[in-house]
Amino acid sequence: MNAIVDDIGCSFTHWHLRREPDGIAWLAFDKAGSSTNTLSADVMAEFARVLDALDAAPPLGLVMTSAKPAGFIAGADIEEFTRLDSPAAARALVARGWQLFERLAKVRYPTLALIRGHCLGGGLELALACRYRIVVDEPATRLALPEVMLGIVPGWGGMKRLPQRIGPALALDLMLTGKPVDARKAKRIGLADDCVPPRVMERAARMRLLSGAAPRTLPWMARVLNGPFRVVVAARARKQVASRARREHYPAPYAIIDIWARFGGDALAVPAHDPAALEVIFASPTTQNLVRVYQLQERLKSFGKGGDFVPRHVHVVGAGVMGGDIAAVCALRGLTVTLQDQTVERIAPAIARAAKLFERKLKGDRRELRFALDRLIADPQGHGVARADVVIEAIFENLEAKRALFADIERRARPDAVLASNTSSLRLEDIATVLADPARLVGIHFFNPVAMMPLVEVVQGEASAEAALQRAAAFVRQLDKLPLPVRSAPGFLVNAVLGPYMLEALRCVEEGIAPETVDAALVDFGMPMGPVELVDTVGLDIALAAGKALTQGAAVPPRLQALVDAGKLGRKSGEGYYRWMDGKPQKGKATALAGLAERVLAPLLEATRRCVAAGVVADADLADAGVIFGTGFAPWTGGPMHFQQSSGKVRMGESPILSDCMQIANNKDG
């Protein structure tokens, strides 16, 4: 891309600067050679030159925008971050952004960030350094400081300015979770000064810039909590973080609290020996592993790119929990969905669940809620098959029933439609025997709960055509989920590793270890939910059936069989290994038991190695991605395969020792 010469004679590559006759300057960010705006070293250096030019001839005001359709700013350049080779380099990277945004915050003229699309990390820190922020009211507009997800801290001013803008309690919540807010919430909490539709955004920006309005003032109590009472807020935040994550596994959230509470949000002020110091954070194996997890996620996203397949109509057969929820997620993402089952009465509960999902996700937007419900169409006769771009079978796990269904679907579906099964235990090859063209059949395997789980396995049978697989992956990405290519095998990847893991946990219970103790050991390791609670949540009947299908004749734990025989199926029946009240398991006290986590995780690790060796996934990295995003396997480890390799302790045939984080820290390849 050629350099742009702006109207005051300066040459810029990534920034387009123009002045209007009324004195307002407009600065559009358009990173050369990239579809996304990221704040790389050369971009930041050039921004400093832009500020030099504006200092030489100050405008009446400055509006900062993006020239990219993809959004405002996605944050810092992650690739540059991964190339940091020393603590000094990490400190220099933080200092560069901190000093530049401090300079922006102190310019003599008013500044405004006009935010349309994603505004993440360093992008939000830049916007916070402006006097005003206007957000565009569109679904794609999201604001977040997600650095904690990479094991780092918002070092370019976010820890200082966000609490000043919205109050410390809410600011810490956003920084410690990394979760985004949409345009309307940004306005509601005071992060944005206004939320406007696209058609008036430039006029609104101009009016706000010239208004002379003082920045929003926090309520008195929030100012007190930001000042003399910040130690109280910090103590409460540390307690909440400690209930979810250990400091040795996830140091970044603790560092965020400490840097805000003790150093006013200035990471550069923290002494090098302090646990919250940049040198400690950037050298942490967790940081390296969480960056690895981010890169694995980007690799999964890439599987849905590069084609021109954009489905508009999805037909789902089976309105049970899985089928109905798949249909709801598709409708929520803007697709027309026809949902088939034997009668309208069987479909009605799925539509009722969908309405609750839409209400929750659309936050009371009645217009969008109505549109989403209109897109979800009950279709007991299956007329939608003939019009659909994607047909998904989600009926019960019976081979003959699925064969009969697909034989009928193939006769009625369009020749170019994707035909997919959501089966979790049957071989695609066995289902495809009835098809005239078995190359059309692929697996698109969702996980429960569909709306929450990010991973979807895209399953390749022996005859599956590459074009059909690529279309299936594109469809998964259209739902904003992560497609994982797997080969047809019992349990594919995720269920193949979860089955032995849950079975081992239940064996521990059979031996007299309390379910609470088993679950606590695995949560302490970093799993999002203990394995016994997971069995109760999935349903004991489902766990029993899957266990028989996937464990190749292994003995079923007697208590599991007895509970199923008694109709105690877990959460859905109110009792399983736990009693359930208001959707929560009623747990007793857990006790610490040395080696318990290692024992329960050993079959999962072995199953992951086995899947890689058998070619269920293409390589160990994809196995790590699948197990992390499909099971919630502790992200601080970088994934089961990476963890075993980097720890240097777990080898084939040996008992893994998983609790010694410092051994990973001492391994320079960790």
Side-chain angles (χ1 to χ4, degrees), residues 15-97:
W15 301 90
H16 304 171
L17 179 63
R18 65 180 174 87
R19 291 177 186 266
E20 293 189 341
D22 60 5
I24 293 178
W26 293 76
L27 181 63
F29 184 16
D30 189 8
K31 185 176 182 182
S34 174
S35 61
T36 305
N37 283 334
T38 55
L39 297 169
S40 58
D42 58 331
V43 165
M44 298 286 270
E46 190 171 275
F47 182 52
R49 291 177 51 220
V50 171
L51 293 180
D52 290 340
L54 293 170
D55 284 347
L60 188 62
L62 175 68
V63 179
M64 301 187 65
T65 68
S66 168
K68 300 285 190 191
F72 185 64
I73 302 175
D77 188 317
I78 299 298
E79 291 305 314
E80 284 188 1
F81 175 75
T82 62
R83 293 194 294 269
L84 295 175
D85 57 3
S86 69
R91 178 169 284 272
L93 181 147
V94 172
R96 178 185 73 200

Side-chain angles (χ1 to χ4, degrees), residues 518-537:
V518 176
D519 282 347
L522 276 302
V523 170
D524 194 41
F525 171 74
M527 303 297 274
M529 179 185 291
V532 183
E533 183 179 343
L534 179 61
V535 171
D536 260 12
T537 302

